Amino acid sequence: MAFHARHLLGIEQLSPLEITTILDLADRYVDLNRRTVKQSDTLAGMTQINMFFENSTRTQSSFEIAGKRLGADVMNMNMATSSVKKGETLIDTAMTLNAMHPDLLVVRHGASGAVNLLASKVNCAVLNAGDGRHEHPTQALLDALTIRRAKGRIDRLTIAICGDVAHSRVARSNLILLGKMGNNLRLIGPPTLMPAGFAELGATVIEDMREGLRGADVVMMLRLQKERMDGGFVPSMREYYHRYGLDAEKLAFAKPDAIVMHPGPMNRGVEIDGEIADDINRSVIQDQVEMGVAVRMACMDLLARNLRADRGRKIAESYV
Ligand code: NCD
């Protein structure tokens, strides 16, 4: 099995072969998830703790369902009522949980790099469920699986990532993944929402949305992340929709069979027209949610195999 990592912290650390390994295994979990009886015993006896310091609907529930389908005992920490509110640091909280011997720790945090720091302090597998503006690896993997299933491949495609690139860990992880797999990447958005370093990741930056969408196979929309803005990034929501909101007229510049994606949650009428989002002939937004559970099952399965092997080795060494 071509996957040797102890943690899933970002796409940056994964090779194209590891990415393909995850996607291939996820394809098998898609089949399992479509059955009436979805239970597997892959993680039986293991404990998974979900620690979400930032709000989440789909990512947290997706990780919870994924763990339960694999037979793990899953606990959701309610960070709003935890001792973090009393001033306990992230590391103290993690160390406390670590002492309870979890096997998988799923973490979302508002600070970029917080999940990597935490991973260095615990002896279980850590999965990054989004850290600040840094990475959101399972989102990029589920997007890749969605694209691969819709287009039949995950290379040589023209992919336009549009909107609030500056605040988006989704854009960053996708850019790294899709770049590694050899695609033609475009970033579309106003200069105020376009960070300087992103073009270095191998994408062409285009300010005009129609020009950016021309001939695209995949149109990936991003949420305008108002909670990460301190004003002044966009003139008004109306103006933003006019210039960067995906509607039928702008979508007509992409290929006729181009798919429309959005990680959710959507701001309808801000970055995307509601009718486009709901058009089952163009939008794969619901597929993304379905692929999310399968991809998370695959990631946890692979990490659990490595964890078992690692622990087995340590026990063997202690007898020498
Ligand atoms: C994304 C996130 O939290 O980074 N959402 C998600 O995980 N589905 C994108 C977003 O919040 O806009």
Side-chain angles (χ1 to χ4, degrees):
M1 192 55 80
F3 186 86
H4 305 290
R6 275 197 65 200
H7 307 290
L8 181 69
L9 300 176
I11 299 297
E12 194 126 41
Q13 298 88 348
L14 298 179
S15 67
L17 186 59
E18 285 176 311
I19 293 167
T20 304
T21 302
I22 296 170
L23 301 186
D24 290 348
L25 183 57
D27 262 330
R28 305 213 324 247
Y29 280 122
V30 174
D31 296 338
L32 177 72
N33 289 337
R34 288 181 180 176
R35 293 194 205 138
T36 309
V37 178
K38 303 165 181 68
Q39 208 60 31
S40 123
D41 59 4
T42 309
L43 299 183
M46 291 192 152
T47 303
Q48 171 191 339
I49 301 182
N50 296 335
M51 279 168 89
F52 280 67
F53 293 89
E54 271 189 354
N55 293 341
S56 169
T57 310
R58 70 211 76 218
T59 305
Q60 184 169 345
S61 54
S62 177
F63 267 111
E64 183 176 353
I65 289 177
K68 286 183 171 161
R69 289 199 181 149
L70 294 176
D73 294 312
V74 186
M75 189 187 86
N76 288 308
M77 286 280 294
N78 186 348
M79 301 322 289
T81 55
S82 79
S83 290
V84 173
K85 284 277 175 246
K86 299 182 189 165
E88 189 176 61
T89 68
L90 168 69
I91 300 303
D92 283 338
T93 307
M95 296 305 284
T96 304
L97 293 177
N98 192 48
M100 299 181 199
H101 296 292
D103 303 288
L104 297 147
L105 209 50
V106 180
V107 188
R108 170 170 284 192
H109 198 277
S112 306
V115 184
N116 292 46
L117 175 68
L118 191 145
S120 68
K121 308 277 180 197
V122 297
N123 42 29
C124 58
V126 175
L127 291 101
N128 182 0
D131 64 324
R133 303 172 186 191
H134 179 223
E135 280 238 34
H136 192 352
T138 56
Q139 180 70 42
L141 288 162
L142 76 87
D143 288 340
L145 185 63
T146 308
I147 296 171
R148 197 173 80 165
R149 290 172 72 100
K151 293 283 158 200
R153 63 178 203 268
I154 189 66
D155 59 351
R156 294 170 289 114
L157 294 167
T158 298
I159 300 170
I161 304 179
C162 318
D164 185 358
V165 179
H167 300 102
S168 180
R169 52 196 175 209
V170 174
R172 202 162 175 284
S173 287
N174 261 302
L175 212 52
I176 301 172
L177 189 155
L178 297 167
K180 280 186 196 229
M181 304 311 275
N183 293 284
N184 172 20
L185 300 171
R186 298 179 189 162
L187 289 175
I188 305 171
T192 46
L193 295 176
M194 198 59 70
F198 270 48
E200 288 158 23
L201 290 170
T204 311
V205 175
I206 303 171
E207 195 178 330
D208 181 78
M209 188 156 176
R210 291 173 183 83
E211 188 192 324
L213 291 184
R214 204 181 291 278
D217 297 291
V218 176
V219 181
M220 191 181 285
M221 300 307 300
L222 300 171
R223 182 173 66 87
L224 196 63
Q225 307 212 359
K226 295 174 214 156
E227 78 279 14
R228 296 191 207 278
M229 298 181 188
D230 39 22
F233 284 93
V234 287
S236 71
M237 294 302 136
R238 223 182 112 99
E239 170 76 7
Y240 185 81
Y241 182 68
H242 179 65
R243 294 195 57 197
Y244 294 104
L246 185 69
D247 56 13
E249 185 267 326
K250 292 192 196 84
L251 183 58
F253 283 80
K255 284 204 183 132
D257 62 350
I259 54 168
V260 173
M261 307 178 77
H262 193 301
M266 278 185 276
N267 295 308
R268 287 170 186 260
V270 178
E271 70 262 356
I272 190 164
D273 169 48
E275 271 183 41
I276 297 280
D278 298 334
D279 180 353
I280 53 163
N281 295 314
R282 306 308 298 269
S283 162
V284 293
I285 295 170
Q286 294 308 321
D287 299 319
Q288 289 174 270
V289 179
E290 181 185 2
M291 297 310 127
V293 177
V295 152
R296 288 167 180 129
M297 289 168 85
C299 292
M300 291 199 288
D301 176 350
L302 291 167
L303 287 171
R305 293 182 205 201
N306 293 348
L307 192 68
R308 282 192 206 98
D310 215 34
R311 288 178 181 165
R313 250 191 318 273
K314 283 200 183 106
I315 292 170
E317 278 164 16
S318 70
Y319 284 111
V320 184

